[in-house]
Amino acid sequence: EDRLRLLIGFCGLLRLLIGESAVMDVVYVIVLLGLLTFNGANSQKINHVDDSFDHLAINCRKHTVSLTDFGGVGDGITSNTKAFKAAIDHLSELGTDGGGLLIVPPGKWLTGSFNLTSYFTLYLHRDAIILGSEEESEWAALPPLPSYGRGRDAPAGRYSSLIFGTNLTDVVITGDNGTINGQGAVWWDKFKQEKLDKTRPYMIELMYSDQIQISNLTLIDSPSWFVHPIYSSNIIIQGLTITAPVDPISPNTDGINPDSCTNVRIEDCYIVSGDDCVAIKSGWDQYGIAVGMPTQHVVIRRLTCISPDSAVVALGSEMSGGIQDIRMEDIIAINSQAGIRIKTAPGRGGFIKDIYLRRMNMETMKYAFWMAGSYGQHADTGYNPKALPVIKDIYFSDSIATNVTMTANLAGIKDDPFTGICISNVKVTLSPQPKKLQWNCTDIEGVTSDVSPEPCALLPDQGSEKTVGCPFPTDRLPIEDVQFKVCSVGLQHLNG
């Protein structure tokens, strides 16, 4: 953790020193990736020996089995859907006796969707690759999410996520940087050709669950969203490398989407995305209002994100259950459409409030900050256009952006302005061909201090004599104090 903080500080200093050098941009990313990889490996303290290995987890397990014990074949051709089900069914009977760990050993393990169980760890060896099946028949069908009312891609239901679970307690999905490849290309093509009557699968989705850890994995080419905890609490997402071709090749491949979740920690991840790198959500229009479960108490820190057509961190657009107390810090954004984006519209209802950002370093951006009150895309015609969202108390501070086309596009809603906006100690350096208008401000209220370029009139600069930095919480969220245990797995026990 300390090494990564040092790296972030070093990279920020490096950018100030080297300016716009394209060669050094490459070096910048390579150095960062190298240390992220080192940090992930170091934090896990993997020590492979002949008969055991250690890993870090919220809880350790008494029983260990291998996928091969249940007929798994890692040739990349044979379906392992039944093997995963058999292994997890076996371990589900041991939850009250210390829980179970399923090792996915070296190999390519083709599978359709499968469900997890409680008091359970799914562990991927460093040379293990889980491959999502390209056969629709291998993916279970599910009804729409209650807070969405319909599928995101189509009005009907949706396909189960590759790794799925509901009403679970104490679930760990981790590894020695093993890989999950969703083989999403076939799904992207069907979506673009409108050949799907259900919403595409996500890679990992846990619903109505508590105590979740997803860590130290490489996730590639999800059919749609990568990691989607929903209606869940006490979640740690750490040390993930998430990659997909940028849009329009891989539509809607958001990286991490906590949705109607409480007490969430997202940290030390590298994401290249065809959509938002991180998107905070809480349901869609009247359906999200009815469920009424906000996403709240979230810390997001030490991320590196690339998203040329979307945001590094987005709030919305499905935010009808509310979003509050989101704390973001030490984030590096490279070649992305926006650093922070708020997306909402009349009909959404709900709220976005108490949003904090500090120490964001942005390089090559269309917008540093973007807030939109006209983001439509309603679930259906049943929404109430008079359900206006409340957007207030947004705090951005201590950040640098270089090679930026437009500093801020901030457009609230008529008769429903976005209020309590504070931006302080933010320096933006423009691209060679910037927008003539650097601050677009409508239906917003707030203040700035020590910000350049000069802010718009609706965000007046308080002046040097009244310079006050925007606040950032000083308390700690409960999820920040959750400590991992060192768990030892004896390989000699793989067969029983």
Side-chain angles (χ1 to χ4, degrees):
E1 194 169 297
D2 291 338
R3 289 185 180 93
L4 193 58
R5 287 196 181 99
L6 287 172
L7 173 68
I8 290 168
F10 171 76
C11 288
L13 178 61
L14 184 64
R15 295 307 306 145
L16 291 175
L17 293 174
I18 66 177
E20 303 301 325
S21 168
V23 174
M24 290 307 296
D25 281 347
V26 175
V27 174
Y28 176 66
V29 176
I30 291 173
V31 169
L32 180 63
L33 284 174
L35 196 43
L36 277 174
T37 301
F38 174 78
N39 181 71
N42 181 68
S43 67
Q44 200 172 1
K45 297 182 180 177
I46 295 295
N47 181 25
H48 286 285
V49 294
D50 291 339
D51 60 353
S52 67
F53 66 86
D54 294 343
H55 67 286
L56 299 181
I58 53 175
N59 285 303
C60 306
R61 313 302 179 195
K62 180 178 177 181
H63 304 276
T64 299
V65 299
S66 169
L67 189 61
T68 55
D69 298 335
F70 296 84
V73 179
D75 60 4
I77 300 173
T78 304
S79 173
N80 291 279
T81 307
K82 292 181 179 179
F84 274 108
K85 183 179 187 304
I88 295 169
D89 285 349
H90 169 75
L91 292 174
S92 70
E93 299 175 358
L94 303 173
T96 57
D97 185 33
L101 182 147
L102 173 60
I103 290 182
V104 182
K108 295 182 179 180
W109 308 91
L110 182 70
T111 181
S113 59
F114 60 90
N115 295 347
L116 305 185
T117 188
S118 295
Y119 310 107
F120 171 80
T121 296
L122 178 68
Y123 184 91
L124 276 69
H125 184 276
R126 68 177 66 174
D127 296 320
I129 302 174
I130 292 178
L131 295 173
S133 173
E134 296 178 322
E135 300 294 330
E136 288 184 34
S137 61
E138 286 265 55
W139 300 78
L142 298 176
L145 291 163
S147 57
Y148 283 73
R150 54 157 286 169
R152 289 284 278 100
D153 294 345
R158 60 202 187 99
Y159 292 99
S160 175
S161 297
L162 180 61
I163 300 174
F164 180 73
T166 185
N167 294 294
L168 304 181
T169 301
D170 186 1
V171 177
V172 176
I173 305 171
T174 190
D176 188 7
N177 203 34
T179 299
I180 305 174
N181 185 339
Q183 299 200 114
V186 65
W187 296 96
W188 306 332
D189 290 342
K190 289 179 180 179
F191 171 71
K192 294 173 190 176
Q193 296 169 25
E194 299 182 351
K195 291 183 177 180
L196 296 172
D197 62 354
K198 299 181 184 68
T199 292
R200 286 165 289 159
Y202 304 145
M203 181 170 284
I204 300 172
E205 181 179 68
L206 298 177
M207 299 174 55
Y208 301 111
S209 297
D210 182 56
Q211 300 177 53
I212 297 167
Q213 173 190 338
I214 305 171
S215 65
N216 294 94
L217 296 168
T218 296
L219 310 181
I220 299 172
D221 291 355
S222 177
S224 185
W225 300 349
F226 276 88
V227 179
H228 184 227
I230 183 166
Y231 318 134
S232 295
S233 57
N234 300 310
I235 302 160
I236 299 175
I237 301 172
Q238 180 190 81
L240 300 183
T241 297
I242 298 175
T243 63
V246 298
D247 192 54
I249 297 174
S250 65
N252 310 117
T253 50
D254 297 40
I256 302 169
N257 288 9
D259 198 338
S260 293
C261 290
T262 297
N263 214 26
V264 181
R265 178 170 127 201
I266 302 170
E267 60 189 5
D268 302 322
C269 296
Y270 172 77
I271 304 171
V272 179
S273 173
D275 210 312
D276 302 316
C277 291
V278 176
I280 312 296
K281 298 178 179 292
S282 65
W284 202 359
D285 291 350
Q286 70 271 29
Y287 305 104
I289 293 172
V291 171
M293 290 183 66
T295 292
Q296 58 188 345
H297 313 314
V298 178
V299 58
I300 303 170
R301 59 195 180 193
R302 300 189 302 275
L303 302 187
T304 297
C305 295
I306 299 173
S307 181
D309 296 292
S310 293
V312 172
V313 179
L315 306 163
S317 70
E318 303 89 350
M319 41 64 65
S320 302
I323 296 172
Q324 65 180 356
D325 189 15
I326 312 298
R327 309 172 183 197
M328 302 169 280
E329 57 184 337
D330 300 323
I331 296 173
I332 296 174
I334 304 169
N335 188 25
S336 297
Q337 188 180 46
I340 304 297
R341 186 178 182 187
I342 292 176
K343 300 185 282 188
T344 188
R348 289 285 192 268
F351 52 84
I352 299 176
K353 62 183 181 181
D354 303 326
I355 309 301
Y356 305 92
L357 168 73
R358 66 180 178 184
R359 298 194 300 269
M360 190 174 199
N361 194 324
M362 295 170 271
E363 165 69 23
T364 308
M365 312 291 292
K366 183 175 181 180
Y367 308 103
F369 308 118
W370 191 2
M371 303 181 192
S374 58
Y375 200 92
Q377 297 184 1
H378 297 287
D380 54 41
T381 59
Y383 72 95
N384 177 8
K386 295 182 179 180
L388 299 178
V390 175
I391 313 299
K392 67 175 186 177
D393 301 336
I394 314 295
Y395 306 104
F396 301 150
S397 65
D398 305 333
S399 297
I400 296 173
T402 59
N403 195 27
V404 175
T405 303
M406 184 175 184
T407 302
N409 188 1
L410 312 177
I413 298 171
K414 186 178 181 181
D415 300 323
D416 182 34
F418 300 172
T419 63
I421 298 171
C422 177
I423 305 175
S424 68
N425 189 26
V426 172
K427 302 296 186 295
V428 176
T429 303
L430 302 182
S431 66
Q433 295 181 317
K435 292 279 189 180
K436 183 176 181 180
L437 178 66
Q438 278 301 303
W439 290 79
N440 176 50
C441 301
T442 58
D443 298 300
I444 64 168
E445 298 174 5
V447 297
T448 58
S449 63
D450 195 20
V451 174
S452 64
E454 182 179 354
C456 58
L458 294 179
L459 296 175
D461 192 313
Q462 299 302 285
S464 58
E465 295 181 359
K466 297 182 179 180
T467 296
V468 177
C470 304
F472 195 93
T474 57
D475 64 317
R476 291 176 63 84
L477 297 177
I479 195 66
E480 295 184 78
D481 294 323
V482 174
Q483 299 295 315
F484 289 154
K485 301 172 183 178
V486 178
C487 302
S488 297
V489 177
L491 298 181
Q492 68 271 27
H493 299 304
L494 289 184
N495 294 315

